[in-house]
Amino acid sequence: MSAPDLIGMPLTAAAFAPYGEVLEASGEADLIINQGNCGRWHDRAALDFDPNGRAGISIFKARPRSLPYTLALFERHPLGSQAFIPMAASPYLVCVASDESDKPVAPRAFLASPGQGINIGRNVWHGVLTPLGEPGLFAVVDRIGPGDNLVEHRLADPLLVAGP
Amino acid sequence: MSAPDLIGMPLTAAAFAPYGEVLEASGEADLIINQGNCGRWHDRAALDFDPNGRAGISIFKARPRSLPYTLALFERHPLGSQAFIPMAASPYLVCVASDESDKPVAPRAFLASPGQGINIGRNVWHGVLTPLGEPGLFAVVDRIGPGDNLVEHRLADPLLVAGP
């Protein structure tokens, strides 16, 4: 293979903070409920929708990919955040980028581990859903409402993303 | 064991309809996105929160149980719906009941299969989160806001729930 342009790094809350939140049961629970049988990590996603939108839950089923992965497209949603919650313990790839003059710059790649969901901030550049194994099944909490909520940017030079 | 009071039945959208929605990729996708690589089953949960509440995403990690299971407590949330999205492909038990004069009646038990989440309607009686295997990890989309959103009803005669 060619030399990779990006290396998928472990997904951590600190590293992902510029782009959104990692949704996981890490550290102490905020609350212990159900007679001690359940921990609650409370309200961990910064849901952010425009006034004409509301939260909804959809199910996505995506074709599994493998590494190295060719990243050719970034997209972003100007009207709302978008959370991805894996419904199986399979890894997935998360590609994000910063913005400069309405273009994605400084791309980064993260590898989510079993038990990790993400919430991508409103208007943050990201790649499409990229499961790295079956079944590619995710619950998505994003903005439901009128208006055009998708901006795409195709890369003139696609990026090759490899594992660590 | 004693004779069971309830038998856990397969979780289907039709059987669960009086209590809420099953969140799953069943039937045709509503939309095909990402250049044909992903199906979207769109806006499948009837999120229902009081005017002082909003949607939030929390993570629950519950102690796995096994069948037969002793169901001793129902609870309900008068201010909002509550969705449970399993983050691993393990089954879990869903106990629900109808209401009569502010008491749970006509209890039913369902066994969720891998790939099935649920949204429990506002004020619908249900048992606590009951995973039937590790890791007992769920994303929960429920109502964040002020006020007392928990009503509990302890059963004078606990119910024994068995598998099919």
Side-chain angles (χ1 to χ4, degrees):
Chain A
M1 66 179 254
S2 315
D5 301 295
L6 281 178
I7 302 291
M9 302 300 286
L11 179 64
T12 66
F16 195 67
Y19 315 104
E21 300 83 44
V22 177
L23 310 175
E24 62 187 338
S26 73
E28 291 283 302
D30 297 307
L31 292 162
I32 302 293
I33 59 175
N34 299 349
Q35 297 79 48
N37 288 311
C38 186
R40 178 176 177 128
W41 285 258
H42 183 72
D43 194 20
R44 291 300 181 103
L47 301 183
D48 176 13
F49 307 117
D50 78 297
N52 296 318
R54 60 166 175 84
I57 305 176
S58 300
I59 304 296
F60 281 25
K61 186 167 168 57
R63 181 173 65 82
R65 320 297 214 283
S66 57
L67 297 176
Y69 170 75
T70 301
L71 173 67
L73 181 79
F74 276 108
E75 62 179 42
R76 61 178 181 173
H77 307 296
L79 302 179
S81 55
Q82 189 172 43
F84 293 90
I85 299 156
M87 296 179 73
S90 301
Y92 59 103
L93 177 67
V94 180
C95 298
V96 287
S98 302
D99 179 78
E100 197 175 276
S101 306
D102 291 327
K103 291 192 175 61
V105 297
R108 296 188 67 183
F110 296 98
L111 294 169
S113 298
Q116 290 187 312
I118 53 168
N119 183 52
I120 298 173
R122 182 173 170 174
N123 230 5
V124 169
W125 290 111
H126 59 279
V128 300
L129 182 58
T130 313
L132 296 175
E134 293 286 357
L137 192 66
F138 292 73
V140 175
V141 178
D142 66 359
R143 186 251 187 205
I144 309 291
D148 186 1
N149 191 23
L150 175 63
V151 176
E152 292 182 325
H153 181 95
R154 193 162 291 279
L155 299 178
D157 295 307
L159 300 172
L160 190 66
V161 184
Chain B
M1 63 178 254
S2 315
D5 302 294
L6 281 178
I7 302 290
M9 303 300 286
L11 179 65
T12 65
F16 194 66
Y19 315 104
E21 300 83 45
V22 177
L23 310 175
E24 62 186 340
S26 74
E28 291 284 302
D30 298 306
L31 292 164
I32 302 292
I33 59 174
N34 299 350
Q35 296 80 47
N37 289 310
C38 186
R40 179 177 176 128
W41 285 257
H42 184 71
D43 194 20
R44 291 300 180 105
L47 301 183
D48 177 13
F49 307 117
D50 79 297
N52 296 318
R54 60 166 175 84
I57 306 176
S58 300
I59 304 297
F60 281 25
K61 186 168 169 56
R63 181 174 65 82
R65 322 296 215 283
S66 56
L67 298 175
Y69 170 75
T70 300
L71 174 67
L73 180 78
F74 275 107
E75 63 180 38
R76 62 178 181 174
H77 306 297
L79 302 180
S81 56
Q82 188 172 44
F84 293 90
I85 298 156
M87 295 178 74
S90 301
Y92 59 102
L93 177 67
V94 180
C95 297
V96 288
S98 302
D99 180 78
E100 197 175 274
S101 306
D102 291 327
K103 289 193 176 60
V105 297
R108 296 187 68 183
F110 296 99
L111 292 170
S113 297
Q116 290 187 313
I118 53 168
N119 183 52
I120 298 174
R122 182 172 169 174
N123 230 6
V124 169
W125 290 111
H126 59 278
V128 299
L129 182 57
T130 312
L132 296 175
E134 293 285 357
L137 193 66
F138 292 74
V140 175
V141 179
D142 67 358
R143 184 252 189 205
I144 308 291
D148 186 1
N149 191 22
L150 176 63
V151 176
E152 292 182 325
H153 181 95
R154 191 161 293 277
L155 299 178
D157 295 306
L159 300 172
L160 191 65
V161 184

